[in-house]
Amino acid sequence: MLGKKKQQKPRRPAGHFDTLVSSRTTVEGDVKFSGGLHVDGRIKGKVVAEEGSDAVLRISEVGEVTGDIVAPHVIINGTVNGDVYASDHLELAEKAAINGNVYYNLIEMAMGATVNGNLVHQREPVGLLTKDRSEHSAAAVRSDDAVEEALEDGGKSE
């Protein structure tokens, strides 16, 4: 028994990357994908994995995304200017730089990676996060309207 290692499950899906955004490419607009997406270039817009897929987004050290990212598996070694929602696994390599909030279930962060924003642990799938957020925002608007009405009638209610 000693000296024998158990076969460990890989930390992230091995798979191949179906789509490549090369270093000489800039994409302006939202990108929706499934499978694997490797980014060496620039994307100016949201990057969203197809809901229910086991998609993997990998941003190399020369890659850059300006916009929010929503995917189950995210590997970053480049720059992200926006929020990151990783419902399953997030890996931040040593040259990763995120300017925005990070919502994760499981995180792996190498020395040298930087996050200029909040790190928020979430167990719920990303779809629920966005749904809860919109419901919360709607509730906040309703309560703000109630406060405005109360102020307008001098605090008197019927």
Side-chain angles (χ1 to χ4, degrees), residues 27 95 116 134 148:
V27 176
K95 294 186 179 180
N116 187 14
S134 61
E148 278 184 32

Side-chain angles (χ1 to χ4, degrees), residues 76-87:
I76 300 173
N77 198 22
T79 305
V80 176
N81 296 304
D83 293 344
V84 177
Y85 299 87
S87 60

Side-chain angles (χ1 to χ4, degrees), residues 15-20 33-39 54-58:
H16 65 284
F17 290 87
D18 306 310
T19 308
L20 166 68
F33 74 101
S34 62
L37 171 61
H38 180 91
V39 179
D54 199 30
V56 180
L57 170 65
R58 180 169 62 190

Side-chain angles (χ1 to χ4, degrees), residues 38-144:
H38 180 91
V39 179
D40 283 336
R42 293 179 178 199
I43 297 177
K44 295 177 181 180
K46 291 182 184 178
V47 180
V48 181
E50 191 173 287
E51 199 166 325
S53 70
D54 199 30
V56 180
L57 170 65
R58 180 169 62 190
I59 302 170
S60 75
E61 63 185 67
V62 293
E64 182 179 335
V65 173
T66 302
D68 293 348
I69 293 173
V70 180
H73 303 278
V74 181
I75 304 162
I76 300 173
N77 198 22
T79 305
V80 176
N81 296 304
D83 293 344
V84 177
Y85 299 87
S87 60
D88 195 6
H89 179 253
L90 172 64
E91 180 180 332
L92 301 179
E94 60 190 19
K95 294 186 179 180
I98 299 175
N99 298 306
N101 297 322
V102 175
Y103 301 86
Y104 66 93
N105 184 14
L106 178 68
I107 189 168
E108 182 178 344
M109 193 170 181
M111 188 181 310
T114 60
V115 175
N116 187 14
N118 296 315
L119 290 171
V120 182
H121 182 254
Q122 298 284 342
R123 287 198 169 120
E124 294 84 22
V126 174
L128 293 177
L129 287 176
T130 54
K131 181 179 169 187
D132 289 345
R133 234 205 225 164
S134 61
E135 288 174 3
H136 178 70
S137 297
V141 168
R142 284 192 300 270
S143 66
D144 287 347

